[in-house]
Amino acid sequence: MDFGRLITAMVTPFDSEERIDWEQTGRLMDYLIEEQKSDSLVICGTTGESPTLTDEEKLEMFEFAVKHAGGRCKIIAGTGSNHTAHSIHLSVEAEKLGVDALLIVAPYYNKPNQEGLYRHFASIANATKLPVMLYNVPSRTVVSLSKETTLRLAQIPNVVATKECASLEQVAGIAAEAPAGFKVYSGDDSAALPAMAVGAYGVVSVASHIVGPAMKEMLDSFLAGRVDAAARLHQKLLPVFKGLFECPNPVAVKYALNELGQHVGPVRLPLVPPSEEEAERIRQLLR
């Protein structure tokens, strides 16, 4: 399955009482697909505040997203956790709802070794027929999937991609040695272009909520051999890439969307709104 080059890890819209705002969720999806040029959407990933969503909310989001997208983009369900059996349950239920693929984060907090990581991901992949994208984000999970474990998992037929937030060296190594068809995505907007230069296929992005067309142009320019043009776009976009992570994600991008008229509402505790100084810096990114 081809998820495209530009995947947006979508925020979850909440109303003033922090309940999922279904009307705004539909508007946001239309905006991301039609205006921001997203090829696929990750639903209930970290940017979607997955740690604060109940299983019921996640399954409702998956079902809504599949129906609302109507085939206009791929829907990738974030069903990973640090409890293998729980992740399997969510993945099986998501498959029943018609999602196109699963994003499975490395188990956080309980610090498994590489064999434990392998068995965790393999158990989930073997419980479903859906394509699986691994998600390696050591800054959040403490543990990191090694290149060797990633390549071992890539031998499982439905493990088809990884979202990699470790080093460019790891991106390059996986891209060089993975089976044909296995795709590496940068999980860091700032590293998207450098990652593609060493073999990545695309990016799972936060910034594409607000600068999607420019990001798509940057990726397309690189793929067409217009490296200088791609580099100029990267340089222009870099303040946005960096600025959206001055606050814990997705605090800044939700604030930016609200400023742009996409009323995605607040973040849930333990996240808090930006300070006035942070808010002013976010507003400056939009000028």
Side-chain angles (χ1 to χ4, degrees), residues 251-286:
V251 172
V253 73
K254 272 196 152 180
Y255 185 87
L257 285 165
N258 286 324
E259 287 290 299
L260 293 171
Q262 286 291 327
H263 301 295
V264 296
V267 289
R268 284 178 172 173
L269 283 170
L271 298 180
V272 296
S275 68
E276 184 48 47
E277 292 85 357
E278 291 167 335
E280 176 56 28
R281 287 198 292 271
I282 297 166
R283 287 193 292 269
Q284 288 176 4
L285 297 175
L286 305 177

Side-chain angles (χ1 to χ4, degrees), residues 5 72 139 147 211 276-277:
R5 305 280 182 173
R72 291 177 293 162
S139 65
K147 181 190 80 171
V211 290
E276 184 48 47
E277 292 85 357

Side-chain angles (χ1 to χ4, degrees), residues 92-104:
V92 169
E93 293 304 309
E95 182 173 13
K96 293 176 185 176
L97 296 172
V99 302
D100 296 294
L102 305 174
L103 178 71
I104 309 294

Side-chain angles (χ1 to χ4, degrees), residues 79-235:
T79 57
S81 73
N82 63 343
H83 180 190
T84 306
H86 182 219
S87 300
I88 289 172
H89 166 72
L90 275 178
S91 299
V92 169
E93 293 304 309
E95 182 173 13
K96 293 176 185 176
L97 296 172
V99 302
D100 296 294
L102 305 174
L103 178 71
I104 309 294
V105 69
Y108 38 86
Y109 190 77
N110 38 16
K111 297 178 71 172
N113 62 16
Q114 292 299 312
E115 182 62 25
L117 289 168
Y118 175 81
R119 294 190 193 186
H120 173 80
F121 285 106
S123 296
I124 298 166
N126 290 330
T128 175
K129 295 179 181 177
L130 287 174
V132 170
M133 180 185 291
L134 312 173
Y135 179 16
N136 188 38
V137 55
S139 65
R140 286 184 177 269
T141 62
V142 183
V143 295
S144 182
L145 270 172
S146 68
K147 181 190 80 171
E148 292 74 19
T149 302
T150 301
L151 293 171
R152 187 180 171 197
L153 286 164
Q155 300 301 318
I156 300 172
N158 62 326
V159 177
V160 301
T162 186
K163 176 186 176 185
E164 184 58 65
C165 298
S167 65
L168 284 177
E169 181 181 353
Q170 178 140 317
V171 169
I174 295 169
E177 299 179 40
F182 185 88
K183 295 179 173 64
V184 182
Y185 285 86
S186 171
D188 177 358
D189 286 310
S190 298
L193 185 61
M196 289 189 71
V198 297
Y201 186 77
V203 59
V204 181
S205 174
V206 174
S208 54
H209 282 89
I210 62 173
V211 290
M215 292 188 71
K216 182 64 75 74
E217 183 181 355
M218 178 184 73
L219 301 182
D220 288 346
S221 294
F222 176 81
L223 293 167
R226 299 189 298 274
V227 178
D228 288 348
R232 286 193 295 272
L233 282 163
H234 171 81
Q235 293 157 5

